Amino acid sequence: MIRGTVLIAQEVCKGCELCIAVCPQECLGLSEHLNIRGYRYVRLIQETCTGCINCALVCPDSAITVFREPKGAAKKTVVVQSTP
Amino acid sequence: MKANSEISLMKGNEALAEAALRAGMQAYFGYPITPQSEILEYLAVHGTKRGAVILQAESELAAINMVYGAAGAGARVMISSSSPGISLMQEGISYMASAEIPFLIVNVQRGGPGLGTIQPSQGDYFQATKGGGHGDYRLIVLAPASVQEMADFVFDGFRLAEKYRVGTMILADGALGQMMEKVVQPPMGSLPLAEKPWATAGKPPSRERNILTSLFIQPEKMEEVNLKLQRKYREIQSEVRYEAIQVEDADIILVAFGLAARISQKALELARHKGIRVGLVRPITLYPFPSAILSQIALSAEAFLVVEMNAGQMLEDVELAVRGEKPVHFKGRMGGMLPSPEEVLREIESIAAVHAANSELIS
Amino acid sequence: MPELKPTNGFEEVFRKVQTLTDTPMHYCPGCGHGVVHRLLMEVVDEMRIQDKTVGVAPVGCSVFAYQYMNIDMQEAAHGRATAVATGIKRVLPDRYVFTYQGDGDLAAIGTNETIHTVNRGENILIVFINNGVYGMTGGQMAPTTLAGMKTTTSPFGRDIATMGHPLKITELLAQLPGAYYVTRHAVHTPTAVRKLKKSLRMAFEFQEMKKGTCFVEVVSNCPSGWKMTPQESNEWMEKNMFPYYPLGDLKVPKVRMN
Ligand SMILES: Cc1ncc(C[n+]2csc(CCOP(=O)(O)OP(=O)(O)O)c2C)c(N)n1
Ligand code: SF4
Ligand code: SF4
Ligand code: SF4
Ligand SMILES: [Mg+2]
């Protein structure tokens, strides 16, 4: 399976959960913490992301950047850097 | 038509329209209303032929907002209408004042209120000079008194509007629009186009985006914008223009603008024939108002007579300038009626009589 | 924002477009306005027309669109956006001009301007956000409010007998010969988003041909005005709005773009 990952701008996210609803891999979830604007932001909760960009397409706040493994690349572990 | 200066006999409305083309007007938006439809009609022929954008809008409301768009995009734009149509434009005028978009607007006034009459009037003085729409803003207001000035003030109007990024209004009336007089048209291209770095014409990589807005939701910011506008309006005071006729030795000073000033000048001549020393101050800019000269004359003259084609609107500005120093009388006709020179003369004579009796009492 | 470096060969496949500014949007969580803003700016970016595009945002929740779109913009009075856009396009005919209007703006106070602009076939793009309410002023009834729908000014539900019918302005406009391309979309699913973007791209490209007005409606949600969560609002929209405002093309030109 193609692997991907997402980077979520936590301070921009408004926790609307629309991305969660459209993620086929169920790999997004709300954080327990609030961001600076008082919203529970979204974060990656599973390493099953395929980089399908569904979440980014419906995000009203353009908070999501998506990365994808190029086809045929050697399988490596991805380090998702969480933003502070 | 030749492109250089020439003398011709023209209707006021047509002279104004031709002058607009010579002044390099790039777009005009209008809606038919008497007594100014000749402006739109003239431009529909000659403006279109000469490459200007001439568009009959679906309403004055649409027309003034087309001006907002076109002038905001950097074009030199004019709009014209008559009283009821100008009322409909007030929202747009207020928005443009706040967004600092320069434009020229012509009001060929007719009698009101309401649908009123198509006969000439000066009933829109308050609306023109005090800010007819909402909020603290002003237009520069020019009051022509001849067909020649109908043409000349188009040039002044565009120049002032672009210099200060404000709206300029030519406040004419139905008689000036319809009357035919000799006019010398200024040569084509004699008013260079101003640089407009603020215009929304597409953002090149070399600059930040341009935004034209009148929305400043933070009160602190909105006050700042207001203070800036007020500074600009103070600067504009230096553009004040008036004509003073035989005021040096005058006991009675007539104050009148536009057509009423022509009538008053005739009355002045009749009075002088009878040995009454009468002078005339004709404000050419109604905003800024020539208060200083009136305050100064109040020291030497004995009385003022304001003549208007309304119920006494400029009267209030004259009273403010005279500050109770001398009596200020008023002669006005309304609803499309014009005061005759003889009517004004009778008013002058009765003021002169009271004045003579008073000075006998004093001496 | 710390950058994720795809050190192990991962490619970036989606990122916020540079024609959007860094200013966070003021819209309520889950509001469709943000998606439509982004799609418009993606098209401008992809067509490389940032320097040739002028937008007009009238009063409504999206009045601040100029804070988010990194292009020259004018803010217009309530209802007057298409008149303003007409003014811009007439003096700058080679620019791409679009308006971005709500249903109150376009179909109530600005109906006259809307109809006449389309009837003149002004070569502009009108983007119409139909959320069935006046969002900005607090969820009052709009011309597009559905029959029986509760708003703050139709507290017992829109009563057709006294408040009139929900206005299908898009169907009406499609009748006009000046309308070149008329279509209706939504942004509630990834597929819908992709379709809308394709339409917006076409609408921008059609401007070059000067064949008439392009009109793109987006049936959108207003979670705040509807008093629902974003997800609920999308479901409610599918169930109630789409049957009355069906998605799809209403008028498509018979040309092929290369
Ligand atoms: C002349 C005028 N009347 C009323 C208003 C108040 N007002 C601001 S936005 C709005 C309604 C906007 O609704 P819509 O166009 O549907 O946009 P939305 O906020 O729903 O996106 C109203 C009535 C105004 N700004 N100007
Ligand atoms: S890119 Fe696709 S799989 Fe990955 S989080 Fe987004 S929706 Fe889920
Ligand atoms: S769609 Fe965007 S704003 Fe909404 S929860 Fe997901 S990341 Fe946050
Ligand atoms: S009020 Fe409605 S339309 Fe306005 S931002 Fe909020 S959700 Fe969006
Ligand atoms: Mg709405």
Side-chain angles (χ1 to χ4, degrees):
Chain A
M1 184 157 65
I2 311 164
R3 292 181 309 160
T5 190
V6 293
L7 177 69
I8 294 155
Q10 291 175 2
E11 300 310 337
V12 173
C13 171
K14 291 180 185 149
C16 71
E17 304 183 55
L18 291 181
C19 55
I20 298 176
V22 297
C23 175
Q25 304 302 321
E26 298 180 356
C27 55
L28 296 172
L30 278 186
S31 153
E32 291 302 314
H33 305 285
L34 303 182
N35 67 14
I36 200 161
R37 297 200 290 161
Y39 295 114
R40 285 179 67 185
Y41 52 86
V42 154
R43 54 191 195 85
L44 208 59
I45 54 168
Q46 284 194 71
E47 300 269 318
T48 51
C49 172
T50 60
C52 72
I53 79 165
N54 271 5
C55 54
L57 286 176
V58 300
C59 174
D61 290 279
S62 304
I64 306 177
T65 310
V66 186
F67 301 90
R68 197 186 296 153
E69 187 182 44
K71 283 207 180 81
K75 300 267 183 277
K76 281 181 202 160
T77 325
V78 195
V79 182
V80 179
Q81 182 180 335
S82 61
T83 50
Chain B
M1 194 165 285
K2 271 201 318 220
N4 50 10
S5 306
E6 61 198 72
I7 303 176
S8 51
L9 193 64
M10 287 184 110
K11 258 191 177 188
N13 285 336
E14 290 172 354
L16 179 139
E18 172 61 29
L21 293 172
R22 287 167 181 254
M25 178 193 74
Q26 292 161 312
Y28 168 90
F29 303 93
Y31 188 83
I33 183 169
T34 311
Q36 64 81 57
S37 297
E38 295 86 358
I39 299 175
L40 172 56
E41 288 165 355
Y42 187 95
L43 291 171
V45 179
H46 301 280
T48 309
K49 276 189 195 162
R50 286 188 247 172
V53 170
I54 310 294
L55 184 58
Q56 176 173 335
E58 60 271 32
S59 71
E60 287 88 351
L61 211 49
I64 194 73
N65 285 285
M66 290 172 184
V67 172
Y68 184 113
R76 185 173 278 172
V77 188
M78 183 173 88
I79 184 166
S80 70
S81 187
S82 179
S83 309
I86 300 286
S87 291
L88 209 45
M89 294 178 189
Q90 293 302 325
E91 182 195 34
I93 294 172
S94 166
Y95 274 61
M96 277 191 276
S98 182
E100 299 191 274
I101 297 175
F103 63 101
L104 176 61
I105 178 165
V106 182
N107 182 0
V108 184
Q109 296 167 95
R110 53 190 256 181
L115 190 53
T117 162
I118 58 171
Q119 298 305 316
S121 162
Q122 296 181 330
D124 305 346
Y125 178 93
F126 281 151
Q127 189 194 52
T129 61
K130 311 294 178 191
H134 57 286
D136 274 308
Y137 78 91
R138 302 288 188 140
L139 299 174
I140 294 177
V141 184
L142 299 164
S146 63
V147 171
Q148 183 64 56
E149 284 185 344
M150 290 285 274
D152 291 346
F153 288 2
V154 170
F155 281 72
D156 295 321
F158 280 131
R159 185 177 51 76
L160 291 167
E162 286 167 15
K163 179 173 173 189
Y164 294 102
R165 283 184 67 180
V166 294
T168 302
M169 176 179 276
I170 294 180
L171 189 67
D173 63 65
L176 286 167
Q178 299 300 323
M179 70 169 61
M180 284 187 100
E181 281 183 333
K182 263 197 277 190
V183 56
V184 182
Q185 284 287 359
M188 198 83 184
S190 45
L191 190 63
L193 285 172
E195 286 279 320
K196 291 171 183 168
W198 47 263
T200 56
K203 173 203 162 330
S206 55
R207 66 157 166 83
E208 291 295 299
R209 69 192 189 282
N210 282 339
I211 296 165
L212 291 172
T213 183
S214 63
L215 174 64
F216 305 97
I217 204 103
Q218 306 292 344
E220 294 82 4
K221 180 74 184 126
M222 189 72 250
E223 185 176 50
E224 226 174 81
V225 169
N226 267 288
L227 288 169
K228 184 178 172 210
L229 291 180
Q230 293 304 318
R231 276 196 298 278
K232 191 160 76 170
Y233 300 147
R234 274 198 295 283
E235 234 181 283
I236 283 172
Q237 298 304 316
S238 66
E239 303 288 351
V240 75
R241 279 170 68 187
Y242 60 87
E243 188 183 10
I245 299 166
Q246 293 186 276
V247 293
E248 292 77 14
D249 67 338
D251 295 320
I252 299 172
I253 301 292
L254 303 177
V255 190
F257 70 94
L259 192 67
R262 285 174 73 138
I263 297 165
S264 297
Q265 195 171 344
K266 188 79 196 150
L268 176 151
E269 285 159 22
L270 297 174
R272 286 265 171 186
H273 263 293
K274 297 199 164 190
I276 310 171
R277 291 194 301 253
V278 175
L280 169 67
V281 174
R282 172 171 80 97
I284 292 172
T285 52
L286 302 180
Y287 187 89
F289 189 71
S291 303
I293 182 68
L294 292 171
S295 307
Q296 193 192 319
I297 291 175
L299 301 176
S300 59
E302 295 301 333
F304 289 82
L305 172 59
V306 179
V307 182
E308 297 183 77
M309 288 143 59
N310 58 39
Q313 299 192 16
M314 182 178 69
L315 172 65
E316 293 187 3
D317 287 329
V318 176
E319 281 173 336
L320 272 176
V322 172
R323 287 180 191 282
E325 285 285 341
K326 296 289 156 60
V328 179
H329 303 269
F330 177 69
K331 176 67 200 170
R333 295 294 300 266
M334 289 168 285
M337 297 299 291
L338 307 182
S340 69
E342 292 73 21
E343 258 180 293
V344 177
L345 175 66
R346 279 199 294 282
E347 206 66 32
I348 293 170
E349 285 174 330
S350 70
I351 296 166
V354 172
H355 167 58
N358 281 351
S359 42
E360 261 169 44
L361 280 179
I362 294 163
S363 56
Chain C
M1 187 169 75
E3 290 294 304
L4 180 96
K5 295 269 188 291
T7 42
N8 44 9
F10 274 39
E11 297 167 334
E12 185 183 286
V13 287
F14 190 96
R15 154 180 292 277
K16 174 178 170 176
V17 69
Q18 60 92 21
T19 38
L20 282 173
T21 66
D22 289 333
T23 312
M25 294 186 187
H26 72 282
Y27 302 115
C28 308
C31 171
H33 275 307
V35 180
V36 187
H37 281 21
R38 192 191 76 228
L39 296 180
L40 273 165
M41 288 304 101
E42 284 178 1
V43 169
V44 166
D45 184 63
E46 284 164 20
M47 290 175 70
R48 298 172 189 278
I49 54 171
Q50 189 179 13
D51 58 338
K52 289 197 187 67
T53 305
V54 184
V56 181
V59 180
C61 274
S62 50
V63 67
F64 281 120
Y66 56 74
Q67 293 190 340
Y68 315 128
M69 301 187 187
N70 192 13
I71 53 169
D72 279 3
M73 286 196 81
Q74 296 192 9
E75 177 258 322
H78 194 21
R80 316 295 159 226
T82 61
V84 170
T86 298
I88 300 170
K89 187 76 182 191
R90 289 294 180 116
V91 298
L92 298 173
D94 67 330
R95 301 305 197 279
Y96 298 84
V97 179
F98 71 88
T99 67
Y100 188 100
Q101 306 174 251
D103 41 4
D105 191 85
L106 180 139
I109 194 168
T111 316
N112 196 27
E113 282 80 358
T114 305
I115 290 179
H116 284 281
T117 300
V118 176
N119 193 49
R120 284 191 302 268
E122 296 292 342
N123 296 300
I124 62 167
L125 162 62
I126 298 174
V127 180
F128 170 41
I129 308 297
N130 177 5
N131 56 15
V133 284
Y134 286 13
M136 188 190 211
T137 40
Q140 294 87 358
M141 183 177 65
T144 46
T145 297
L146 298 175
M149 186 173 165
K150 283 184 183 163
T151 69
T152 56
T153 50
S154 58
F156 311 110
R158 183 176 187 152
D159 169 32
I160 300 301
T162 57
M163 299 164 182
H165 299 268
L167 180 57
K168 294 192 178 189
I169 187 113
T170 307
E171 277 78 356
L172 201 140
L173 294 169
Q175 308 293 312
L176 302 176
Y180 189 58
Y181 175 45
V182 182
T183 184
R184 186 184 278 129
H185 290 267
V187 290
H188 62 309
T189 64
T191 312
V193 169
R194 285 196 170 92
K195 282 187 183 164
L196 172 59
K197 183 167 169 187
K198 227 171 125 193
S199 271
L200 290 172
R201 170 88 192 219
M202 270 165 66
F204 268 95
E205 286 171 351
F206 285 151
Q207 274 199 52
E208 293 164 17
M209 300 162 57
K210 304 199 189 323
K211 288 275 178 74
T213 311
C214 294
F215 189 93
V216 178
E217 172 178 344
V218 182
V219 180
S220 191
N221 61 352
C222 176
S224 297
W226 299 356
K227 302 183 174 48
M228 296 175 195
T229 68
Q231 190 52 34
E232 282 166 6
S233 73
N234 276 349
E235 285 158 14
W236 190 89
M237 178 172 75
E238 277 189 70
K239 191 158 167 274
N240 299 281
M241 298 278 279
F242 291 175
Y244 196 79
Y245 303 112
L247 306 190
D249 293 331
L250 286 93
K251 193 173 194 176
V252 194
K254 289 188 185 66
V255 291
R256 269 189 46 82
M257 306 277 306
N258 312 304

